Amino acid sequence: MESLLPLAGKVADLLKSRGEMIAIGESSVGGLVSASLIAQAGASAFFLGSTVIYTREAGRVLRDRSTLKLEGLEPLTPEFAGAMADGFRKQMGATWATSEMGAAGPAGSPYGPKPGTAVVAVSGPVSKAQLVETGPADRIENMRLFGKAQLELLLACLTEA
């Protein structure tokens, strides 16, 4: 998590300066992004909450179907991650929300992608989603890289807004 703190600090500063709130959705990152944001002083001024949905079963229980538009979308695609972020933002009443899902390794995803593959998305005044491919099947390194990609995309959207 320590390597994510500088990025999280920039995100926190922008959110606090604007009075905006964020909700974080994570899967294979396992809470690293949320922890890096909560570690920032004054986190309660911008951080609404987060969820780590790691299994399909948890997703079925925790996702509010009324806010999600997932029909016809393939899991582990930018479009799916974007729809997840948008639904979570609406559900939480946040200005911004993120979503992440991936295959950290050493095995690939049950949806097909190989280890080192993730999707990250941001929903808010500027919304974007992207595929992340790290290459290696190193679980810990991929978790860190996926979290970094999630924060970098969020920072880019915040800066653009």
Side-chain angles (χ1 to χ4, degrees):
M1 176 187 83
E2 286 184 25
S3 65
L4 301 180
L5 292 175
L7 275 171
K10 291 176 184 177
V11 166
D13 289 345
L14 284 171
L15 290 168
K16 285 189 287 190
S17 71
R18 298 181 199 180
E20 296 174 335
M21 302 300 286
I22 191 159
I24 303 295
E26 299 176 71
S27 180
S28 62
V29 174
L32 292 175
V33 170
S34 298
S36 71
L37 289 168
I38 292 170
Q40 304 303 313
S44 61
F46 67 88
F47 191 89
L48 279 173
S50 65
T51 183
V52 176
I53 297 177
Y54 196 70
T55 65
R56 292 180 193 179
E57 294 77 21
R60 285 188 205 104
V61 172
L62 296 173
R63 291 184 187 130
D64 178 353
R65 300 286 184 210
S66 69
T67 64
L68 295 176
K69 308 286 187 239
L70 301 176
E71 189 172 323
L73 298 177
E74 293 291 321
L76 243 130
T77 62
E79 297 78 17
F80 189 90
M84 290 289 296
D86 192 49
F88 194 41
R89 180 183 55 77
K90 291 172 185 170
Q91 182 179 348
M92 294 293 287
T95 315
W96 299 91
T98 67
S99 175
E100 172 275 328
M101 65 185 303
S109 166
Y111 304 112
K114 64 185 186 220
T117 304
V119 289
V120 294
V122 173
S123 174
V126 173
S127 298
K128 294 183 180 186
Q130 69 184 36
L131 178 68
V132 177
E133 295 180 300
T134 66
D138 181 326
R139 183 177 188 80
I140 302 302
E141 181 66 5
N142 283 331
M143 290 173 70
R144 187 188 67 74
L145 291 172
F146 296 167
K148 181 178 181 227
Q150 190 173 3
L151 284 167
E152 286 174 340
L153 184 62
L154 175 57
L155 184 58
C157 290
L158 286 165
T159 302
E160 187 176 325

